[in-house]
C-alpha cells in the first residue's frame, strides 16, 4: 500500500494512493486513527483493517486534494551523511567505517509539493535526494537480520541543506534544519509492495537538469545496518523517519557550485516510491512570530 496524508477542504486525513485515485480511510474505516504516527503505532491490525477497507473505500480525484507530508511531526528525524562512495569522494573525505548520524529538527518537515525557503541569512541552499524509511514498531537492539520487521515503509526525502551554516561549525544540526528543509513523501510505500529497497534508481533534477542519478544498491550502510546501528544507542519509535544519505551530484560539489535559487524546482524521484517536487521561494517576511 501507498499510505498518504492528504488535506481536503481544510481537513487532514489518511488515505491509500492507487491508480484509481486516493482511497479515503476516514470514510472506509472511520475507527482507524486519522494521523499517521498513531496509525503506524496501531501496528499490523490497523494495516490489515486498512487493506480490507480498500475495496469499499470511495476514491478521491487527486486533483481535489493536497498531499501533505505523510508524517507531519516525526518523533525523530534522523539522517545519515556520507553514505554513497561517490558523494564521499566529491566531499573530499575518506570512506566511513561507522555511519555518520545527525538530526534534522522535526519542524523542518515539508510536504511533497510544498515550497522550500531560501533563508534570509544564506544563499548557499542545496538539495540532497535520499531514500528514507519509517519505523513502525517501538524497538531497541534490533539485529540486522530482523531490521525489516520494524520498518513500516519507505519514502523519498530531500535533505535540503544550507551549506555555510552546515560546514562553519563541527555539527550539522543548524544547517540541516531550517524550516521547510525536510520535504518527505509523496507517501509511505509498504515493504510488501516495494520489494527490495536496495535496488532502486534514485534521481534528482533541478529544473530539467539531471543532477543526481544513482541506485540504492550503492548505499555503504543499508537500511537494515542503519536500524541495527541506531537502535544500539536509543529506542526507535513508530513514525521516526530516517534519511539514508545522498549520492554524488550535490550542488556544492559541482565546479563551479550549482546551488539553488528562487524559482528553481527540485524533483527527487525514486523507483517505486514516487517523486517530490518542491519550488524554491524567498523565506516569507511573515515568519518572525507564528
Ligand atoms: Zn543528506
Amino acid at each position: 500500500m501507498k499510505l498518504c496524508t492528504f488535506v481536503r477542504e481544510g481537513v487532514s486525513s489518511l488515505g491509500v494512493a492507487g491508480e484509481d485515485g486516493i482511497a479515503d480511510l476516514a470514510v472506509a474505516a472511520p475507527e482507524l486513527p486519522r494521523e499517521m504516527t498513531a496509525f503506524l503505532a496501531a501496528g499490523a491490525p490497523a494495516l490489515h483493517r486498512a487493506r480490507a477497507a480498500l475495496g469499499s473505500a470511495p476514491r478521491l480525484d487527486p486533483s481535489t486534494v493536497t498531499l501533505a507530508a505523510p508524517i507531519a511531526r516525526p518523533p525523530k528525524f534522523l539522517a545519515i551523511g556520507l553514505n554513497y562512495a561517490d558523494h564521499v569522494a566529491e566531499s573530499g573525505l575518506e570512506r566511513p567505517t561507522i555511519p555518520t548520524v545527525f538530526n534534522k529538527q522535526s519542524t523542518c518537515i515539508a510536504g511533497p509539493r510544498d515550497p522550500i525557503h531560501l533563508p534570509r541569512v544564506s544563499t548557499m541552499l542545496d538539495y540532497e535526494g535520499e531514500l528514507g524509511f519509517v519505523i513502525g514498531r517501538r524497538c531497541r537492539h534490533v539485529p540486522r537480520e530482523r531490521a525489516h520487521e520494524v520498518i513500516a515503509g519507505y519514502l523519498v526525502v530531500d535533505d535540503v541543506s544550507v551549506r555555510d551554516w552546515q560546514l562553519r561549525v563541527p555539527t550539522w544540526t543548524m544547517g540541516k534544519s531550517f524550516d521547510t528543509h525536510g520535504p518527505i513523501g509523496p507517501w509511505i510505500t509498504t515493504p510488501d509492495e516495494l520489494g527490495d529497497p536496495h535496488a532502486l534508481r534514485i534521481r534528482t533534477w533541478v529544473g530539467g537538469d539531471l543532477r543526481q542519478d544513482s541506485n540504492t544498491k550503492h548505499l555503504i550502510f543499508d537500511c537494515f545496518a542503519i536500524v541495527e546501528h541506531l537502535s544500539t544507542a536509543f529506542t526507535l519509535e513508530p513514525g521516526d523517519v530516517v534519511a539514508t544519505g545522498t549520492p554524488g551530484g550535490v550542488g556544492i560539489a559541482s565546479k563551479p557550485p550549482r546551488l539553488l535559487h528562487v524559482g528553481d524546482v527540485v524533483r527527487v524521484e525514486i523507483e517505486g516510491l514516487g517523486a517530490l517536487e518542491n519550488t524554491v521561494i524567498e523565506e516569507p517576511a511573515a515568519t518572525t512570530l507564528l
Side-chain angles (χ1 to χ4, degrees), residues 5-44:
T5 299
F6 67 88
V7 179
R8 187 172 180 242
E9 293 168 359
V11 179
S12 176
S13 302
L14 297 188
V16 178
E19 299 284 321
D20 52 351
I22 294 173
D24 186 349
L25 289 179
V27 173
E31 73 280 15
L32 287 175
R34 307 284 178 97
E35 187 278 320
M36 189 68 80
T37 299
F39 175 81
L40 296 175

Side-chain angles (χ1 to χ4, degrees), residues 79-83 87 102 104 127-130 157-161 163 166 172 176 243-247 250:
I80 310 299
L82 309 171
N83 203 14
H87 179 56
F102 63 93
K104 287 175 80 73
Y127 51 86
E128 294 191 350
E130 307 195 5
V157 179
D158 187 353
D159 175 21
V160 181
S161 305
R163 296 302 186 193
Q166 176 192 350
W172 299 352
K176 293 286 195 174
T244 59
T246 201
V250 299

Side-chain angles (χ1 to χ4, degrees), residues 181-202:
H181 289 187
I184 61 171
W187 36 67
I188 299 169
T189 303
T190 54
D192 59 313
E193 177 157 334
L194 183 64
D196 184 359
H198 303 119
L200 308 173
R201 191 176 187 189
I202 174 170

Side-chain angles (χ1 to χ4, degrees), residues 5-285:
T5 299
F6 67 88
V7 179
R8 187 172 180 242
E9 293 168 359
V11 179
S12 176
S13 302
L14 297 188
V16 178
E19 299 284 321
D20 52 351
I22 294 173
D24 186 349
L25 289 179
V27 173
E31 73 280 15
L32 287 175
R34 307 284 178 97
E35 187 278 320
M36 189 68 80
T37 299
F39 175 81
L40 296 175
L47 279 169
H48 290 146
R49 179 72 187 95
R51 195 168 273 122
L54 274 183
S56 62
R59 297 315 199 252
L60 301 170
D61 179 342
S63 68
T64 66
V65 307
T66 301
L67 281 177
I71 302 173
R73 188 64 68 88
K76 289 188 278 304
F77 188 7
L78 296 157
I80 310 299
L82 309 171
N83 203 14
Y84 286 83
D86 57 352
H87 179 56
V88 175
E90 73 181 3
S91 303
L93 297 166
E94 296 286 312
R95 184 184 172 96
T97 55
I98 300 167
T100 301
V101 179
F102 63 93
N103 277 298
K104 287 175 80 73
Q105 301 304 302
S106 60
T107 38
C108 80
I109 289 284
R113 301 288 179 270
D114 287 349
I116 298 168
H117 294 175
L118 176 69
R120 294 172 201 173
V121 294
S122 176
T123 56
M124 297 187 72
L125 185 68
D126 207 351
Y127 51 86
E128 294 191 350
E130 307 195 5
L131 170 67
F133 63 83
V134 180
I135 296 296
R137 283 173 58 182
R138 190 176 161 83
C139 58
R140 179 85 200 277
H141 291 301
V142 183
R144 180 198 156 76
E145 59 273 17
R146 294 192 63 187
H148 64 94
E149 297 174 34
V150 307
I151 294 177
Y154 297 86
L155 40 60
V156 186
V157 179
D158 187 353
D159 175 21
V160 181
S161 305
V162 180
R163 296 302 186 193
D164 47 352
W165 280 62
Q166 176 192 350
L167 299 170
R168 68 187 185 177
V169 287
T171 64
W172 299 352
T173 306
M174 291 291 287
K176 293 286 195 174
S177 295
F178 278 67
D179 282 4
T180 73
H181 289 187
I184 61 171
W187 36 67
I188 299 169
T189 303
T190 54
D192 59 313
E193 177 157 334
L194 183 64
D196 184 359
H198 303 119
L200 308 173
R201 191 176 187 189
I202 174 170
R203 286 177 289 179
T204 304
W205 291 262
V206 178
D209 191 20
L210 181 63
R211 300 285 184 89
Q212 297 185 290
D213 186 0
S214 186
N215 191 292
T216 58
K217 71 183 177 190
H218 297 306
L219 282 166
I220 296 171
F221 303 102
D222 70 15
C223 298
F224 306 145
I226 292 167
V227 166
E228 181 177 70
H229 182 69
L230 295 174
S231 71
T232 302
F234 46 75
T235 299
L236 296 171
E237 300 172 291
D240 285 346
V241 174
V242 181
T244 59
T246 201
V250 299
I252 189 70
S254 192
K255 304 231 178 338
R258 292 189 292 177
L259 295 159
L260 296 173
H261 302 95
V262 169
D264 283 343
V265 178
V266 184
R267 179 181 173 86
V268 183
E269 183 177 323
I270 300 180
E271 189 181 359
L273 298 182
L276 308 174
E277 207 164 276
N278 304 91
T279 301
V280 179
I281 65 169
E282 296 274 6
E283 179 187 335

